[in-house]
Amino acid sequence: MMRNTFYKIFLMLAAVILSINIFAQKDKVEKTGLKLGVQSYTFHKFTFQEAVDKTRQLGLDYIEVYYGQPLGEGMKGTMDFRMDKKTRKQVQKYAKSKGVKIIASGVIICKDKGEWKQLFEFADAMEIEIITCEPEYGHLKYVDKMANKYKIDVAIHNHPKPSNYWKPELFLEATKGLSNRIGVCADVGHWARMGLDPVECLKKVEGKIKSLHFKDIKEETEGERHDVIWGTGALDLKGMLNELKRQKFEGVFSIEYEHNWMKSVPDIRKSIRYFNELKEKDILK
């Protein structure tokens, strides 16, 4: 009996300490002016519910959902902009119950205007602020029209070749004449994998950045240039963060960690710690 009592007290104290650490970390992140969250593809080996739980465990308030992720216990199907109203409400309720906001969704390419319309209707109903996508050039004007109708920003992502937007110049040329609702989701790792300088790329799309898929990647060797803990890889994170600071960027900053899939939370926690250390050194103030 005595042992059980001590065990219960230990668990209660552990929960309190964890809560204190989470809120302290959250306060540091919020003071940067950036909406730091997770791209749920980071947890694609898990369900949507588990991805939300891990986001909360990391002390973060925002998640960018990707389409195709199994939803989890008590919910049918996968994350899909075609889901029925009942499932949509279950998804919203679960995220809100954990204190996590679904702020963005993607990356997605729709096949026609009908799908784009359905996607924007879904995003509107879910209170999603940013749609991350790679539209066909012929769909851009219609996407711009929908973005303004629903007042939802569009962040065009840069997958590697043969993506239509693998370098900034392609985005800038394709979106000439479109409204300010159309901007960039800057995947800094993909730029580097294409032999581009992410800092220079950020400069080229100044004023257009809606969100980032932020990461550090392995040094260039014969192996895969997979993601690594921030500050331990090949990318100039300080240079990128200083450039974003210069641009007064205060948008969505999605952590996308595509490595160590089953046990990535400790790595991501170290990346957040590195981010906070840069802030303390006046990089982000």
Side-chain angles (χ1 to χ4, degrees), residues 124-148:
D124 182 54
M126 294 287 287
E127 300 177 344
I128 289 171
E129 297 178 15
I130 297 175
I131 291 174
T132 311
C133 57
E134 292 185 12
E136 296 294 338
Y137 290 155
H139 292 164
L140 280 169
K141 287 186 178 179
Y142 184 75
V143 170
D144 188 29
K145 178 181 176 182
M146 290 292 98
N148 282 280

Side-chain angles (χ1 to χ4, degrees), residues 9 33 98-99 102 132 158 190 206-207 221 234-235 259 269-270:
I9 293 172
K98 302 294 181 175
I102 302 173
T132 311
N158 55 288
H190 287 329
E206 181 172 357
T221 61
L235 301 192
H259 185 57
R269 195 182 302 281
K270 289 176 184 177

Side-chain angles (χ1 to χ4, degrees), residues 189-236:
H190 287 329
W191 276 334
R193 292 183 182 106
M194 288 291 96
L196 304 174
D197 180 344
V199 176
E200 292 303 312
C201 289
L202 290 172
K203 290 178 181 178
K204 289 176 181 178
V205 292
E206 181 172 357
K208 300 285 187 179
I209 304 170
K210 300 291 185 182
S211 63
L212 293 104
H213 286 175
F214 203 75
K215 57 193 68 175
D216 200 353
I217 64 173
K218 192 177 179 182
E219 295 284 351
E220 192 168 4
T221 61
E222 292 182 4
E224 176 193 357
R225 298 194 74 187
H226 62 70
D227 294 1
V228 295
I229 296 166
W230 294 2
T232 68
L235 301 192
D236 180 8

Side-chain angles (χ1 to χ4, degrees), residues 4 14-16 19 47-48 86 113 121-122 135 137 140 150 174 205 220 231 236 250 257 259-260:
N4 288 339
V16 170
S19 297
T47 67
F48 159 75
K86 178 184 176 182
K113 289 183 178 180
E121 288 173 346
F122 171 79
Y137 290 155
L140 280 169
Y150 289 99
V205 292
E220 192 168 4
D236 180 8
E250 293 189 350
Y257 194 76
H259 185 57
N260 197 18

